[in-house]
């Protein structure tokens, strides 16, 4: 599974819009959109935030596979 698909899966499992997910992580809506379309990837700090969010909400996400 590609990173963009992983991000979309995480967001959908949490029943969040791209805008809501962006607010949760402290990034812009456009940033989440670029992740999901494969145009960009988050920096390490944001990857850790995504990992923490997933752990807190019981969503599978292996950060080591993404780095």
């Amino acid at each position: 599974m590609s990173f963009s698909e992983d991000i979309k899966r995480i967001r959908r499992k949490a029943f969040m819009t791209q805008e809501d997910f962006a607010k949760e992580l402290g990034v812009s809506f456009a940033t989440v959109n670029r992740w999901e379309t494969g145009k960009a990837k988050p920096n390490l700090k944001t990857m850790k935030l995504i990992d923490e969010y997933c752990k807190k909400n019981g969503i599978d996400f292996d950060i080591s596979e993404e780095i």
Side-chain angles (χ1 to χ4, degrees):
M1 185 177 290
S2 72
F3 178 75
S4 59
E5 292 169 341
D6 281 342
I7 292 295
K8 194 177 291 187
R9 178 187 56 81
I10 290 165
R11 179 179 61 78
R12 287 181 174 168
K13 276 194 168 195
F15 301 102
M16 298 177 94
T17 64
Q18 286 182 344
E19 188 172 346
D20 291 337
F21 192 57
K23 285 179 186 176
E24 181 73 29
L25 297 175
V27 299
S28 71
F29 156 79
T31 298
V32 173
N33 184 270
R34 285 192 301 270
W35 295 342
E36 289 190 9
T37 57
K39 294 178 182 173
K41 285 190 175 183
N43 60 29
L44 185 58
K45 178 182 174 186
T46 308
M47 289 287 276
K48 288 179 180 179
L49 290 174
I50 294 168
D51 186 52
E52 288 172 14
Y53 176 82
C54 290
K55 286 177 182 173
K56 181 174 68 174
N57 292 284
I59 300 171
D60 291 333
F61 178 65
D62 189 357
I63 192 171
S64 64
E65 291 180 9
E66 304 300 337
I67 297 176

